[in-house]
Amino acid sequence: MIVVFPDGSEVRSSDPAIHDRLSELIGKPATLEPLPALSEKGRYRTPQATKADIRRQFALADDEPLPDFSMFPVRKLAELARYATPVGALYDAYPILLMTRASLRAMAERSPSSQFDVRRFRPNVLIDVDGAELAEFAWCGGRLRAPSVAFDTEIPALRCSIPTRRQGDLPADPDVLRTINAHADHCLGVYANVATAGTLAEGDPLELEPSAAPSATVAVARSGATALKRGTLRVIDALMPRGH
């Protein structure tokens, strides 16, 4: 792999100089390591997070409620409680982040003094749709198709404090996250899995196959599952160390 730096210089990932170059770039010690094998699960383990850790990660005051994690499947929650990332992966929770320009416009309308620039949010795919609303939230559970690739849209993407930080010519702005918390319930964009691998090109049309309308029985079952997860989360919340 070749790493291209902002000044245009290139360094191979196998070059021992890569560690010093990365450290110089970000202003703190850094090393580039290969992804551990699936069998080395211990290397993916993470210390148990405290409530204080989560508040720092999501830039929340002591009197603000923690984000609602019940949208995550129980198996995914259990995995992320134990490991820093899904085992064998470099992404936080899901491999793909989809976002619409409409969502960025919706947030910008609610906080005109902030720059809701797509660079703050780092989506894998940025989608053009009309209007200024949180359009992609309605896609969850459906399948988004392009000519040669398809994504299963899963859940809204919880946003931490990273988009508030200075990035290039974008200044640090805590109001970015405050706006998302207040008007989009801590979420912007949606997480997705790859249903059909292929090539996605700029300008490709996308078509949504919405999830089938659930029957009354399925709806009740889903409601019960959500209640169960919320109950489990309340127990976890009660047992989670507060930290400092």
Side-chain angles (χ1 to χ4, degrees), residues 14-207:
S14 57
D15 188 333
I18 189 69
H19 311 302
D20 289 339
R21 290 295 307 275
L22 289 172
S23 299
E24 180 184 358
L25 178 66
I26 67 174
K28 59 181 66 176
T31 58
L32 185 65
E33 297 183 1
L35 188 67
L38 286 170
S39 58
E40 299 181 60
K41 290 188 175 181
R43 295 184 62 186
Y44 292 91
R45 292 295 294 267
T46 186
Q48 182 182 12
T50 67
K51 291 182 181 180
D53 293 332
I54 294 176
R55 291 189 184 283
R56 281 192 291 269
Q57 181 180 359
F58 288 90
L60 296 171
D62 290 343
D63 59 347
E64 291 182 286
L66 295 177
D68 180 6
F69 294 99
S70 66
M71 69 184 78
F72 283 88
V74 172
R75 181 175 295 181
K76 180 71 72 175
L77 276 175
E79 182 178 38
L80 296 179
R82 178 175 295 183
Y83 302 109
T85 68
V87 174
L90 289 173
Y91 49 81
D92 290 339
Y94 289 87
I96 298 295
L97 174 63
L98 308 174
M99 183 174 290
T100 65
R101 293 190 188 278
S103 287
L104 295 174
R105 289 192 291 267
M107 294 295 98
E109 286 186 358
R110 288 162 174 80
S111 183
S113 62
S114 295
Q115 291 177 272
F116 279 85
D117 189 298
V118 67
R119 290 175 293 170
R120 291 193 185 276
F121 304 101
R122 310 171 317 284
N124 299 96
V125 183
L126 180 65
I127 302 167
D128 271 324
V129 297
D130 295 331
E133 58 184 36
L134 303 170
E136 57 268 42
F137 289 174
W139 302 347
C140 292
R143 178 165 291 182
L144 201 63
R145 290 191 178 276
S148 64
V149 67
F151 303 106
D152 284 336
T153 51
E154 302 291 346
I155 62 173
L158 280 170
R159 307 308 311 209
C160 65
S161 62
I162 288 178
T164 69
R165 301 177 186 175
R166 183 178 66 83
Q167 300 187 45
D169 58 349
L170 297 173
D173 185 359
D175 283 341
V176 166
L177 191 59
R178 293 187 186 119
T179 304
I180 294 170
N181 292 350
H183 299 285
D185 198 18
H186 299 267
C187 298
L188 199 65
V190 293
Y191 287 129
N193 285 310
V194 177
T196 302
T199 301
L200 185 67
E202 183 177 356
D204 277 353
L206 295 168
E207 181 179 354

Side-chain angles (χ1 to χ4, degrees), residues 210-233:
S211 58
S215 66
T217 302
V218 173
V220 170
R222 286 182 177 175
S223 175
T226 299
L228 173 62
K229 280 193 286 186
R230 289 182 186 276
T232 302
L233 285 170

